[in-house]
């Protein structure tokens, strides 16, 4: 019987193999049955893997590796057993152990360092397959410690007589360099020597392919350091017949050509020759990509590349047509004529059966959009969106929205057209971009004042269509339509029509968050209608209303903030306004509001309930006053002097304030005052403010006492004024005392006066006018034109912020190891490694003398001499380097940041280019 310590002999004899496990999993359908079988299998594996028999352990690890690869089970508990199998003399057991280590080991694996000696042993093996296993595993699990300890062994393998081993050692160097940049100084020269081997005994091009592949990856991160190797790459470009090697070399030249014009002049002709004679489509496309991305200044090369692109576009193979569209996308920024020549093919590709081709064609079309053709291109794309499948339809709409809104609508001249386009997008059956359309409708309304009349018209058309309420994908668009219709209701032709659309019965199909916006917009429309009605009743001489009737004859002046029209049209418009806001129409609106919203007053959604009660409170108050004056017409009471009229005017004035765009980084720009300590919560403020008793006001008024004159109330008004002044003085003194006691929680004042004078009472009449003037100045400054308008077709003012109209983009920082690698490469290629090697690594080697000595003993020749200087940290440095000891010690704490300051500053542009380029 099997015990808990390990499997019995019978378990080992009848152990299920990996094939049995796979068959068992396939016999059980996915679900509980399969999960149960896998759980039982894992229990068996846990017992089997503790066996002392290596064959049993190997079979268990095979099954565990399979489950980890396909079902992602954690096999960290078997890490030590994997290390144990790697030391087995059997190649099959060793292979299983290395495979499990490659798949499951992480830098945090505890037993990772136990693998170091076994890797070193297998790297020195005479069996090339064991060496291959060790190199493949190291290239996956390599860490700083493993790379540092095994660099000498890989260095020896770079000159192995066995091509099979040498190419894998070269490929492994890429991982070693990334983990341990100092290995560049040891292995880079031999890596270059392998680059110079074009063909050899037993080499079918794989050795060169591996070496060029490593250089391609290294040059992609920091190409400037590899300019001195241009002659070797040029030789390969001219002599090699391996297409994959040539593709890698072309990628390298695409990077180097941007740094050295003379190099581009030298290699552009061989690249053109490759394009002409090669029949390999992959190589031809790489030549095209290299020319159009890096050598686009050579007209003859670009024309040849465009011809090849044309061949790709007309080919029947879908893959080649896709590559042709990609080539056009690359050539478009510098040679737009190439796209114009093939525009028919591009437009037809929008209807292709292959989705990838359609997406590439769409990207190509959007790359051509400018302010001159945006209207025409968007018209064509809307037509394609209507007849496309839902997925591609939304991709078209997403591309249009992204391109048109780029750089704060930089390419949009006619915003009336663009707002109409947004409304048209909302009506496309498959539209699922409601969130972006919602954002742009509101954003344009806040930034572009001239477009608000058209924006209200578009919003009204969306709101009155009851069919749109049943489409959940455009609920966000309807929310924006309701918001702009309420916020800019003064530009509406018929506010009563908007009110009916906002309160129609089918709005119960909307989610609560959207319906609350509808109700709040209804509050704005009601406030505007009541204020306009009261203003007209009082007469045009007292105070002009905010209502503006938009007709074709009107023109809006951004600078003067007013509408102008002929006198005759003005008089007729005034008569139309009087006819619109009649007592009967206002009574009907109030009845509609009360009838529609009363059932919602007890809604379970707090947002809806709060907004409904606000609207109903205003409606009932206005309805009561209007009905009261119907009974007392003979008294001819002036409505503007009534309390209700004052409240309505205050509400309308508050709702009439314009919203403006706010920078995403506005909060981040507020500096934290010196000495201010921000707590994680504000619980301490309760104890701080516990001893402060603020005066409690027994009454609340929306207006100043002077706004509500009434007979017999003058004495009470004077008393209220005296009480308010006393209360203000008490509040000011308490605030000053509290500021002195708890100044940590206050922002610092710019005034040098006493604290009591720095905080005047709220709503101080002396300060009020100054505050208004300051706000006017700030508004004028924020609306300054950023560009000169075109006199033939003026572009409306678009409010832009100085910065922060978009979320800040994190700048991609260069990896520190990449800098170390490029610096070491410069030192090796320019012959500076002897002097900079010690300075580079003096601070990184402390505390690791035991591993350094092992590496020292493994190295030979000049490399041994150079490494010994480094390992001893300058103690055994030659006499001519004694002067650098002090610098080495002082710079050790900065580690690699002080590496090769001289190497980085070396001017490589002219000296590194060989004579063959001159």
């Amino acid at each position: 019987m099997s015990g808990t310590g390990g499997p019995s002999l019978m378990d080992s004899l009848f152990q299920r193999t990996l094939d049995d496990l796979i068959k068992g999993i396939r016999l059980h359908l996915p679900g509980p049955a399969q999960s149960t079988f896998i759980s039982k299998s894992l229990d068996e594996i846990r017992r089997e893997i503790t066996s002392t028999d290596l064959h049993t352990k190997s079979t268990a690890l095979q099954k565990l590796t399979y489950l980890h690869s396909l079902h992602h089970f954690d096999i960290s508990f078997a890490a030590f057993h994997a290390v144990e199998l790697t030391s087995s003399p059997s190649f099959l057991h060793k292979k299983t152990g290395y495979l499990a280590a490659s798949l499951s080991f992480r830098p945090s694996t505890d037993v990772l360092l136990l693998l170091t000696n076994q890797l070193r042993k297998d790297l020195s093996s005479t069996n090339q397959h064991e060496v291959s296993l060790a190199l493949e595993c190291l290239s996956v699990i390599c860490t700083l410690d493993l790379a540092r300890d095994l660099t000498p062994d890989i260095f020896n393998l770079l000159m192995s007589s066995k091509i099979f081993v040498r190419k894998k050692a070269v490929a492994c160097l890429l991982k070693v360099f990334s983990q341990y940049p100092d290995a560049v100084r040891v292995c880079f020269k031999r890596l270059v020597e392998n680059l110079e081997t074009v063909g050899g005994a037993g080499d079918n091009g794989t050795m060169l392919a591996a070496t060029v592949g490593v250089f391609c990856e290294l040059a992609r991160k920091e190409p400037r350091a590899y300019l001195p190797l241009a002659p070797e790459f040029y030789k390969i470009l001219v002599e090699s017949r391996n297409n994959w090697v040539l593709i890698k070399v072309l990628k390298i030249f695409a990077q180097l050509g941007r740094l050295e014009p003379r190099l581009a002049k030298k290699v552009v002709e061989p690249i053109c020759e490759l394009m002409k004679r090669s029949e390999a489509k992959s190589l031809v496309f790489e030549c095209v990509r290299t020319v159009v991305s890096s050598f686009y200044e050579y007209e003859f090369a670009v024309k040849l590349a465009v011809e090849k692109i044309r061949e790709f576009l007309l080919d029947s193979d879908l893959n080649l047509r896709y590559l042709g569209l990609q080539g056009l996308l690359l050539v478009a920024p510098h040679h737009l004529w190439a796209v114009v020549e093939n525009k028919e093919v591009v437009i037809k590709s929008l209807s292709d059966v292959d989705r990838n081709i359609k997406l590439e064609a769409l990207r190509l079309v959007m790359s051509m959009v400018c302010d001159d053709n945006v209207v025409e291109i968007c018209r064509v794309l809307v037509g394609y969106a209507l007849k496309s499948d839902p997925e591609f339809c939304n991709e078209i709409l997403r591309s249009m929205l992204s391109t048109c809104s780029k750089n704060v609508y930089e390419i949009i001249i006619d915003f009336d057209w663009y707002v109409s386009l947004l409304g048209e997008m909302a009506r496309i059956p498959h539209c699922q971009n409601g969130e972006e359309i919602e954002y742009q409708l509101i954003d344009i309304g806040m930034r572009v004042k001239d477009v608000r009349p058209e924006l209200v018209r578009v919003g009204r058309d969306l709101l009155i269509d009851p069919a749109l309420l049943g489409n959940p994908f455009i609920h966000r668009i309807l929310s924006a339509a309701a918001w702009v219709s309420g916020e800019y209701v003064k530009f509406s032709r018929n506010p009563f029509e908007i009110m009916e659309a906002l309160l129609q019965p089918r709005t119960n199909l909307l989610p609560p968050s959207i319906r609350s916006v509808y109700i709040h917009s209804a509050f704005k429309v009601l406030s505007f209608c009541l204020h306009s009605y009261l203003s007209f009743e009082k007469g045009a001489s007292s105070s002009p209303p905010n209502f503006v009737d938009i007709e074709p004859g009107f023109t809006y002046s951004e600078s003067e903030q007013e509408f102008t029209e002929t006198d005759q049209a003005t008089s007729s418009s005034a008569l139309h306004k009087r006819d619109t806001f009649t007592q009967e129409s206002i009574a009907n609106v109030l009845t509609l509001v009360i009838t529609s919203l009363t059932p919602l007053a007890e809604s379970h959604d707090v947002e809806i309930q709060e907004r409904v009660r606000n609207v109903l409170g205003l409606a009932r108050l206005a309805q009561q006053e209007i009905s009261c004056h119907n009974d007392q017409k003979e008294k001819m009471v002036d409505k503007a002097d009534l309390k209700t009229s004052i409240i309505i005017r205050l509400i309308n004035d508050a709702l009439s304030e314009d919203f403006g765009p706010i920078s995403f980084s506005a909060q981040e720009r507020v500096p934290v005052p010196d000495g201010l300590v921000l707590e994680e919560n504000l619980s301490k403020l309760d104890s701080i403010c516990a001893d402060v008793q603020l005066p409690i006001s027994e009454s609340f008024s929306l207006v100043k006492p002077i706004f509500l004159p009434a007979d017999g109330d003058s004495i009470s008004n004077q008393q209220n004024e005296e009480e308010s002044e006393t209360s203000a003085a008490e509040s000011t003194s308490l605030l000053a005392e509290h500021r002195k006691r708890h100044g940590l929680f206050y922002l610092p004042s710019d005034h040098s006066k006493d604290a009591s004078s720095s905080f005047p009472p709220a709503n101080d009449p002396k300060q009020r006018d100054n505050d208004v003037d300051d706000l006017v100045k700030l508004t004028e400054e924020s609306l300054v034109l950023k560009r000169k308008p075109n006199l033939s077709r003026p572009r409306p003012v678009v409010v832009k912020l100085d910065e922060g109209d978009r979320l800040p983009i994190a700048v991609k920082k260069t990896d520190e190891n990449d800098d170390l690698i490029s610096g070491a490469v410069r030192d090796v290629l320019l012959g500076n490694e002897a002097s900079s090697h010690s300075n580079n690594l003096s601070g990184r080697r402390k505390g690791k003398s035991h591993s350094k000595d092992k590496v020292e003993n493994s190295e030979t020749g000049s490399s041994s001499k150079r490494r010994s200087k480094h390992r001893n940290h300058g103690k055994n440095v030659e006499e001519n380097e004694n002067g650098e000891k002090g610098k080495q010690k002082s710079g050790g704490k900065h580690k690699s940041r002080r590496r090769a300051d001289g190497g980085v500053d070396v001017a490589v542009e002219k000296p590194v280019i060989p004579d063959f380029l001159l």
Side-chain angles (χ1 to χ4, degrees):
M1 295 180 65
S2 61
T4 57
S8 66
L9 178 60
M10 295 300 294
D11 291 336
S12 300
L13 289 175
F14 295 98
Q15 182 187 21
R16 283 192 290 187
T17 63
L18 178 60
D19 292 340
D20 297 333
L21 176 65
I22 295 174
K23 291 177 182 178
I25 293 177
R26 292 180 177 178
L27 287 175
H28 295 81
L29 296 176
Q34 190 178 92
S35 300
T36 303
F37 176 78
I38 293 176
S39 298
K40 292 181 179 180
S41 300
L42 280 174
D43 294 337
E44 293 178 1
I45 292 171
R46 287 180 180 271
R47 292 197 307 269
E48 294 168 357
I49 205 168
T50 60
S51 173
T52 56
D53 181 48
L54 291 180
H55 180 73
T56 303
K57 188 186 295 288
S58 176
T59 303
L61 192 59
Q62 282 183 0
K63 295 187 289 184
L64 198 59
T65 304
Y66 174 81
L67 293 175
H68 171 73
S69 301
L70 269 67
H71 300 278
H72 310 290
F73 286 101
D74 182 21
I75 62 173
S76 58
F77 66 92
F80 179 79
H81 303 290
V83 175
E84 188 178 3
L85 280 178
T86 58
S87 61
S88 173
S90 172
F91 179 77
L92 292 178
H93 297 166
K94 188 184 295 289
K95 181 179 180 181
T96 302
Y98 275 126
L99 176 61
S102 300
L103 293 176
S104 61
F105 279 21
R106 301 291 182 267
S108 59
T109 303
D110 297 335
V111 299
L112 187 60
L113 291 179
L114 299 179
L115 201 58
T116 304
N117 289 331
Q118 186 59 43
L119 285 170
R120 180 181 288 111
K121 180 180 178 180
D122 289 333
L123 289 175
S124 304
S125 174
T126 56
N127 187 339
Q128 64 178 3
H129 298 291
E130 291 183 354
V131 178
S132 174
L133 287 178
L135 287 172
E136 289 174 358
C137 181
L138 181 61
S139 64
V140 176
I141 67 172
C142 184
T143 62
L144 173 61
D145 294 328
L146 287 176
R148 183 187 62 247
D149 296 336
L150 298 176
T151 292
D153 301 279
I154 300 175
F155 173 79
N156 294 330
L157 294 176
L158 291 176
M159 294 304 294
S160 174
S161 59
K162 300 175 182 179
I163 299 298
F164 179 76
V165 172
R166 193 168 11 138
K167 69 179 182 181
K168 293 199 172 186
V170 168
C172 184
L173 279 179
L174 186 63
K175 183 70 172 181
V176 173
F177 286 171
S178 64
Q179 296 294 325
Y180 182 58
D182 300 340
V184 174
R185 304 180 186 278
V186 179
C187 303
F188 193 77
K189 285 188 176 180
R190 286 200 175 178
L191 183 62
V192 174
E193 291 174 3
N194 284 282
L195 182 66
E196 297 171 353
T197 305
V198 183
D203 182 16
N204 57 359
T206 57
M207 185 67 242
L208 181 62
T211 308
V212 172
V214 171
F215 276 106
C216 181
E217 292 299 317
L218 292 174
R220 182 177 59 85
K221 299 175 181 178
E222 181 56 44
R224 186 176 297 276
Y226 303 92
L227 276 172
L229 296 176
E232 283 75 13
F233 295 136
Y234 180 81
K235 181 181 178 182
I236 297 173
L237 179 66
V238 175
E239 298 181 3
S240 178
R241 293 296 178 265
N242 188 319
N243 290 335
W244 295 110
V245 171
L246 291 173
I247 288 174
K248 294 293 184 181
V249 172
L250 288 171
K251 291 180 181 293
I252 295 173
F253 278 124
Q255 299 288 337
L256 301 182
R258 302 189 183 103
L259 305 175
E260 179 51 58
R262 290 173 294 178
L263 181 61
K265 183 178 180 181
K266 184 71 176 180
V267 301
V268 68
E269 292 184 1
I271 294 176
C272 291
E273 290 297 323
L274 280 178
M275 273 194 290
K276 292 177 182 178
R277 72 167 188 263
S278 178
E279 297 180 358
K281 300 298 184 181
S282 58
L283 178 58
V284 172
F285 179 74
E286 195 60 43
C287 293
V288 169
R289 180 157 56 185
T290 303
V291 168
V292 300
S293 61
S294 300
F295 307 137
Y296 50 83
E297 296 179 356
Y298 296 88
E299 194 70 26
F300 70 94
V302 173
K303 289 182 178 179
L304 180 59
V306 173
E307 291 178 7
K308 295 297 180 181
I309 291 174
R310 179 75 177 180
E311 294 178 7
F312 285 140
L313 291 172
L314 299 178
D315 200 286
S316 59
D317 190 344
L318 296 180
N319 295 321
L320 296 181
R321 284 159 55 189
Y322 175 80
L323 292 178
L325 292 172
Q326 272 198 338
L328 274 184
L329 192 61
L330 292 173
V331 78
H334 302 286
H335 298 278
L336 194 58
W337 57 267
V339 182
V340 176
E341 287 183 356
N342 300 278
K343 60 181 180 181
E344 295 84 1
V345 181
V346 174
I347 298 299
K348 290 181 180 179
S349 298
L350 289 173
S351 304
D352 199 277
V353 294
D354 188 272
R355 182 176 180 274
N356 292 325
I357 291 179
K358 292 193 293 186
L359 290 178
E360 282 300 314
L362 178 61
R363 294 190 188 100
L364 187 59
V365 170
M366 300 313 298
S367 68
M368 298 185 295
V369 175
C370 63
D371 53 357
D372 294 329
N373 59 15
V374 60
V375 176
E376 183 64 22
I377 290 179
C378 287
R379 182 186 62 81
V380 174
L381 290 179
V382 168
Y384 275 97
L386 289 171
K387 60 182 181 181
S388 299
D389 59 278
E391 187 175 4
F392 186 62
C393 169
N394 283 282
E395 195 66 39
I396 292 176
L397 299 181
R398 196 175 301 114
S399 300
M400 294 168 60
L401 292 169
S402 175
T403 303
C404 292
S405 63
K406 188 180 298 182
N407 295 331
V408 196
Y409 315 97
E410 185 178 27
I411 63 173
I412 302 299
I413 302 298
D414 187 357
F415 277 91
D416 288 349
W417 162 81
Y418 186 60
V419 168
S420 301
L421 177 66
L422 293 177
E424 187 177 355
M425 288 183 185
R427 295 179 180 276
I428 294 178
H430 303 304
C431 177
Q432 298 179 9
N433 295 274
E435 185 175 354
E436 180 63 22
I437 296 177
E438 174 199 32
Y439 171 79
Q440 292 195 20
L441 284 172
I442 296 176
D443 188 54
I444 291 174
M446 291 190 296
R447 292 181 184 274
V448 189
K449 291 191 174 183
D450 288 5
V451 80
R452 290 174 182 176
E454 179 66 18
L455 195 62
V456 173
R457 186 195 65 79
V458 172
R460 171 256 182 198
D461 293 342
L462 293 173
L463 292 175
I464 64 175
D465 190 352
L468 299 179
L469 294 171
N471 186 355
F473 294 111
I474 65 171
H475 283 169
R476 300 288 295 270
I477 304 176
L478 294 177
S479 173
W483 189 87
V484 298
S485 298
E487 183 66 23
Y488 310 120
V489 63
K490 63 182 179 181
F491 299 105
S492 172
R493 286 177 175 270
N494 191 348
F496 304 125
E497 187 179 30
I498 294 179
M499 179 67 78
E500 293 175 358
L502 292 172
L503 300 179
Q504 59 181 301
R506 281 180 61 87
T507 55
N508 58 7
L509 299 175
L510 298 172
S513 59
I514 307 299
R515 200 171 187 185
S516 62
V517 177
Y518 268 60
I519 297 171
H520 191 61
S521 296
F523 180 75
K524 296 178 182 178
V525 175
L526 178 62
S527 171
F528 171 77
C529 292
L530 292 175
H531 179 261
S532 300
Y533 167 68
L534 295 175
S535 299
F536 282 122
E537 286 296 320
K538 183 178 181 181
S541 60
S542 60
S543 61
N546 290 331
F547 179 78
V548 179
D549 188 15
I550 303 302
E551 296 179 359
F554 277 95
T555 58
Y556 185 62
S557 173
E558 183 69 33
S559 60
E560 299 179 359
Q561 299 288 315
E562 62 180 5
F563 286 86
T564 57
E565 192 188 17
T566 59
D567 296 338
Q568 183 178 0
T570 302
S571 59
S572 62
S573 176
L575 293 174
H576 175 71
K577 298 171 191 175
R578 292 179 181 274
D579 296 338
T580 301
F581 295 100
T582 61
Q583 182 175 337
E584 181 181 0
S585 62
I586 294 298
N588 292 336
V589 168
L590 294 175
T591 303
L592 173 65
V593 169
I594 295 175
T595 303
S596 302
L597 296 183
T598 298
L600 297 176
E602 303 298 330
S603 174
H604 295 291
D605 189 275
V606 64
E607 296 290 339
I608 293 179
Q609 184 183 128
E610 180 182 9
R611 286 164 172 76
V612 165
R613 294 193 175 187
N614 289 338
V615 179
L616 289 178
L618 179 62
R620 287 167 179 163
L621 182 64
Q623 191 179 47
Q624 182 180 2
E625 289 294 335
I626 291 177
S627 61
C628 175
H629 286 292
N630 287 336
D631 299 335
Q632 301 179 3
K633 286 183 180 180
E634 64 279 1
K635 295 184 179 181
M636 300 298 292
V637 180
D638 190 358
K639 296 182 179 63
D641 294 334
L642 297 176
K643 180 179 179 181
T644 302
S645 177
I646 298 298
I647 294 175
I648 292 174
R649 185 171 65 189
L650 286 173
I651 294 176
N652 184 76
D653 291 344
L655 296 177
S656 298
E657 294 292 333
D658 284 344
F659 285 105
I662 300 176
S663 169
F664 282 108
S665 59
Q667 184 66 34
E668 298 176 359
R669 298 177 189 175
V670 179
V672 178
D674 296 337
L676 177 62
V677 179
L678 299 178
E679 299 290 344
E680 294 182 359
N681 54 64
L682 299 179
S683 59
K684 293 184 179 181
L685 288 180
D686 295 336
S687 59
I688 293 175
C689 299
D691 56 343
V692 178
Q693 297 180 356
L694 296 177
I696 301 175
S697 176
E698 298 179 356
S699 60
F700 176 76
S701 176
L702 292 173
V703 295
K704 292 182 179 180
I706 57 175
F707 287 160
L708 295 173
D711 297 337
D713 292 341
S714 59
I715 299 176
S716 60
N717 287 340
Q718 292 177 359
Q719 294 176 353
N720 290 336
E721 289 180 0
E722 293 176 356
E723 291 177 359
S724 62
E725 291 176 359
T726 305
S727 175
E730 292 177 357
S731 300
T732 303
S733 60
L734 286 172
L735 184 60
E737 181 180 356
H738 191 272
R739 180 182 177 88
K740 291 179 180 179
R741 188 183 302 177
H742 308 291
L744 179 63
F745 293 92
Y746 286 88
L747 296 177
S749 176
D750 295 334
H751 302 286
S752 59
K753 299 180 181 180
D754 192 41
S756 60
S757 61
S758 299
F759 293 89
N763 299 326
D764 188 357
K766 298 180 180 179
Q767 289 290 117
R768 196 164 189 177
D769 295 335
N770 295 334
D771 293 341
V772 173
D773 295 337
D774 293 339
L775 288 175
V776 171
K777 292 179 181 179
L778 290 174
T779 305
E780 292 175 354
E781 292 175 0
S782 63
L783 296 177
V784 174
L785 288 173
K786 300 295 183 181
R787 61 175 65 189
K788 294 182 180 180
N790 188 353
L791 297 179
S792 59
R793 189 179 184 183
R795 183 174 186 266
V797 176
V798 180
V799 178
K800 292 185 180 181
L801 305 178
D802 295 337
E803 54 181 297
D805 280 328
R806 293 289 185 269
L807 284 173
I809 300 175
V811 179
K812 185 179 180 181
K813 296 183 179 179
T814 306
D815 190 0
E816 183 179 354
N817 281 350
D818 294 341
D819 289 339
L820 295 175
I821 293 173
S822 59
V825 169
R826 290 191 185 97
D827 291 342
V828 174
L829 294 178
L830 299 179
N832 298 337
E833 68 272 20
S835 61
S836 62
H837 193 46
S838 299
N839 291 336
N840 179 21
L841 306 171
S842 59
R844 297 177 56 147
R845 302 288 82 83
K846 292 183 178 180
K848 300 188 181 294
S849 59
H850 60 287
S851 60
K852 297 169 186 175
D853 294 336
K854 294 179 182 179
V855 177
E856 270 187 54
N857 296 332
S858 303
E859 295 179 21
T860 58
S862 61
S863 175
S864 176
K865 181 180 179 180
R866 189 167 56 249
R867 301 281 290 182
S868 63
K869 294 178 186 179
H870 158 62
R871 299 300 180 183
N872 293 326
H873 297 285
K875 294 180 181 179
N876 299 325
V877 184
E878 295 179 356
E879 294 181 359
N880 58 355
E881 294 182 351
N882 289 336
E884 297 183 0
K885 282 186 178 179
K887 296 180 181 179
Q888 181 179 352
K889 293 180 180 179
S890 63
K893 294 183 180 180
H894 296 285
K895 296 185 178 181
S896 55
R897 292 187 179 275
R898 295 178 63 94
R899 59 97 179 92
D901 289 338
V904 175
D905 296 336
V906 173
V908 298
E909 287 77 1
K910 293 184 179 179
V912 299
I913 297 302
D915 295 338
F916 88 107
L917 294 178
L918 302 177

